[in-house]
Amino acid sequence: LRSPTATATSTAFSDANAPRQPFVIGVSGGTASGKTTVCDMIIQQLHDHRVVLVNQDSFYRGLTTEELKRVHEYNFDHPDAFDTEQLLDCIEKLRDGQSVQVPIYDFKRHQRSSNSFRQVNASDVIILEGILVFHDQCVRNLMNMKIFVDTDADMRLARRIRRDTVERGRDVSSVLEQYAKFVKPAFDGFVLPSKKYADVIIPRGGENHVAIDLIVQHLRTKLGQHDLCKIYPNAYVVQSTFQI
Ligand code: CTP
């Protein structure tokens, strides 16, 4: 098995004549940890590059009629709730420079839109964001950089209550029930154990401007190195990992 770092080196920077392959960043972390804010800030700062965001949430499986009747018993925080094969296929295509159609998921109906998709075009940087993007090894192996957004559980629960009641049509008691029954156990069982795969751990999420600046600086170096390799094909690119 090749390590993710070895994959990143060989796929992104080794062949000077190969067409430029996008840099894939995984952003994981617990529910309402601020993953989206971190991604938005990276996208904003990399305004001179083509950057696309793909949400793991888009690959939630739609519920069957039977599952919908007992939606309170459905575990949306288990890896099986996602169509990981489809997610993998989508990221592989984007990495190969192809455009893809990403499903549109509705958190109120627990369904995907049956007739509309979001077109995501080829780009320089692909950001894949979601609670379980580090869970599957094949998905992990596609990533050149892995970021874990580490935010206190009480902060995350407070944000989750606000978001689910305001944006996702839930009431407070159902949010708390779901949190205790599924969200917290799955965080402890799947999300937290996947933190060990991260190259960078960001405390306090989107508030951490220093961390975002350092990540963007690193990305600029990596994106620039690809161009350097084209000019100096024998240049040796040093891989490094860092933690903030
Ligand atoms: N979920 C849900 N109902 C669904 C599908 C998913 O309640 N029909 C919940 C799951 O319980 C899971 C969460 O959605 O915990 C995943 O979304 P989350 O990571 O919280 O959303 P983001 O906006 O990506 O989070 P962040 O605030 O970190 O950006």
Side-chain angles (χ1 to χ4, degrees):
L1 276 181
R2 289 183 300 168
S3 72
T5 303
T7 307
T9 309
S10 59
T11 57
F13 304 114
S14 61
D15 184 353
N17 298 316
R20 185 180 185 128
Q21 206 171 36
F23 193 87
V24 183
I25 308 171
V27 178
S28 185
T31 182
S33 53
K35 300 182 288 299
T36 312
T37 310
V38 166
C39 295
D40 287 345
M41 288 170 76
I42 294 174
I43 293 168
Q44 241 173 36
Q45 291 200 32
L46 284 179
H47 52 83
D48 49 340
H49 288 274
R50 296 178 304 164
V51 187
V52 289
L53 177 63
V54 176
N55 307 94
Q56 187 182 30
D57 292 347
S58 304
F59 296 88
Y60 266 119
R61 300 176 194 279
L63 264 51
T64 62
T65 318
E66 280 311 303
E67 286 168 336
L68 273 174
K69 282 184 196 155
R70 296 193 306 273
V71 68
H72 298 297
E73 292 166 26
Y74 193 88
N75 189 351
F76 291 102
D77 292 75
H78 191 278
D80 293 347
F82 300 94
D83 186 342
T84 300
E85 285 307 308
Q86 193 186 13
L87 168 72
L88 191 61
D89 182 58
C90 168
I91 301 298
E92 278 172 348
K93 285 194 170 120
L94 280 172
R95 203 193 50 167
D96 293 343
Q98 299 173 42
S99 300
V100 293
Q101 304 274 333
V102 173
I104 296 175
Y105 185 75
D106 183 342
F107 285 90
K108 289 186 182 163
R109 296 188 307 113
H110 315 288
Q111 296 289 2
R112 294 178 179 189
S113 166
S114 51
N115 49 13
S116 51
F117 292 87
R118 180 171 70 100
Q119 161 114 3
V120 178
N121 293 324
S123 55
D124 304 322
V125 179
I126 300 159
I127 307 182
L128 173 61
E129 171 270 333
I131 50 171
L132 288 168
V133 293
F134 297 164
H135 179 75
D136 183 272
Q137 188 185 2
C138 297
V139 177
R140 275 200 317 272
N141 284 348
L142 294 175
M143 296 170 182
N144 302 100
M145 182 192 220
K146 296 184 226 53
I147 299 171
F148 190 92
V149 182
D150 204 7
T151 305
D152 286 349
D154 50 359
M155 290 284 291
R156 292 192 291 103
L157 177 58
R159 284 190 201 153
R160 168 108 183 198
I161 293 169
R162 196 179 311 125
R163 185 195 63 198
D164 281 9
T165 52
V166 174
E167 294 169 24
R168 296 187 182 175
R170 317 281 169 89
D171 58 62
V172 175
S173 68
S174 79
V175 177
L176 293 177
E177 193 185 316
Q178 183 189 8
Y179 189 86
K181 196 168 171 187
F182 297 121
V183 182
K184 186 174 161 44
F187 178 79
D188 294 336
F190 300 111
V191 184
L192 201 52
S194 75
K195 183 175 160 182
K196 63 175 175 282
Y197 300 114
D199 303 302
V200 186
I201 296 165
I202 310 184
R204 305 182 308 283
E207 292 165 25
N208 195 331
H209 293 264
V210 175
I212 311 279
D213 286 351
L214 283 169
I215 288 166
V216 171
Q217 234 172 57
H218 183 74
L219 287 171
R220 286 193 177 284
T221 310
K222 288 292 172 195
L223 291 167
Q225 270 173 0
H226 184 276
D227 296 335
L228 253 187
C229 281
K230 282 188 164 171
I231 305 165
Y232 305 106
N234 296 324
Y236 178 64
V237 178
V238 179
Q239 284 287 338
S240 58
T241 54
F242 62 100
Q243 181 158 330
I244 297 163

